[in-house]
Amino acid sequence: MLSYIKGKIADAGENTLVVECGGLGYEMTVSRAAAAGASIGDDVKLPVYLSVTENGVALYGFKDASEKDMFLKLINVSGIGAKMAIGILGGVGVNELIAAIAQGDIAALSSVKGVGKKTAERIVLELKDKIGAEIADIGEKCGIMPGVVPDEDAVLALIALGFNKNEAVAAVSRVNGKGLTTEQIVFMALKS
């Protein structure tokens, strides 16, 4: 199994990269985040996934290990293949995807090209527990104790989106207490 490829970028497209390694050029489909930071001639070390199906062999590349990890979770959802999973990661970032799954935001997921409402519902259904555990781990690492913060789920969602603990708690405290759902609190906190 391939874990990563280390070499120079020989060619770059919108969703593809060719990485030259040991005299061979490995063409791979990549997420938008991986392609955005790539320039021809750059030295890279990209996490990769080799997909072998009855239709052929394909190589997928990722910006970092967390993006690859999310890709692996997505391809384990029934009905989602590697092409759709890389498309989902290209449509939304990893943190936004985690937040959408944790909040059950079907609309955000189905806004990604190629993802319908039923597929979005299946993603939430099959990954919510796995993502919830990751968000709980983030909260534990940040020192958030259940019951101490007005809406822990909103704080954890904001942390997953890149806020630090203090910013997230402050943002939730500003908008909480108005009878809002967790999703509405996160939305209001992001607007403020």
Side-chain angles (χ1 to χ4, degrees), residues 74-129:
L74 285 169
I75 63 172
N76 284 314
V77 173
S78 61
I80 296 184
K83 283 184 182 181
M84 182 180 282
I86 203 81
I88 292 169
L89 288 172
V92 296
V94 173
N95 289 337
E96 292 82 3
L97 183 58
I98 289 172
I101 293 169
Q103 297 169 15
D105 190 352
I106 304 300
L109 292 172
S110 59
S111 70
V112 176
K113 184 179 179 184
V115 178
K117 183 179 178 188
K118 288 187 180 188
T119 303
E121 289 171 346
R122 196 167 42 248
I123 291 170
V124 169
L125 178 69
E126 294 187 31
L127 294 182
K128 191 164 190 165
D129 290 339

Side-chain angles (χ1 to χ4, degrees), residues 28-152:
M28 63 190 79
T29 303
V30 295
S31 68
R32 188 182 323 160
S39 297
I40 295 175
D42 285 351
D43 287 322
V44 293
K45 181 178 176 181
L46 296 174
V48 295
Y49 174 79
L50 181 64
S51 172
V52 180
T53 65
E54 66 268 1
N55 296 329
V57 178
L59 190 61
Y60 295 91
F62 309 96
K63 178 183 174 187
D64 54 30
S66 66
E67 192 175 60
K68 181 180 178 181
D69 184 51
M70 183 54 69
F71 173 86
L72 294 173
K73 284 181 173 74
L74 285 169
I75 63 172
N76 284 314
V77 173
S78 61
I80 296 184
K83 283 184 182 181
M84 182 180 282
I86 203 81
I88 292 169
L89 288 172
V92 296
V94 173
N95 289 337
E96 292 82 3
L97 183 58
I98 289 172
I101 293 169
Q103 297 169 15
D105 190 352
I106 304 300
L109 292 172
S110 59
S111 70
V112 176
K113 184 179 179 184
V115 178
K117 183 179 178 188
K118 288 187 180 188
T119 303
E121 289 171 346
R122 196 167 42 248
I123 291 170
V124 169
L125 178 69
E126 294 187 31
L127 294 182
K128 191 164 190 165
D129 290 339
K130 293 176 186 175
I131 299 303
E134 287 181 14
I135 289 176
D137 287 345
I138 291 170
E140 190 174 298
K141 288 176 188 171
C142 293
I144 296 175
M145 304 303 287
V148 175
V149 178
D151 191 323
E152 302 93 27

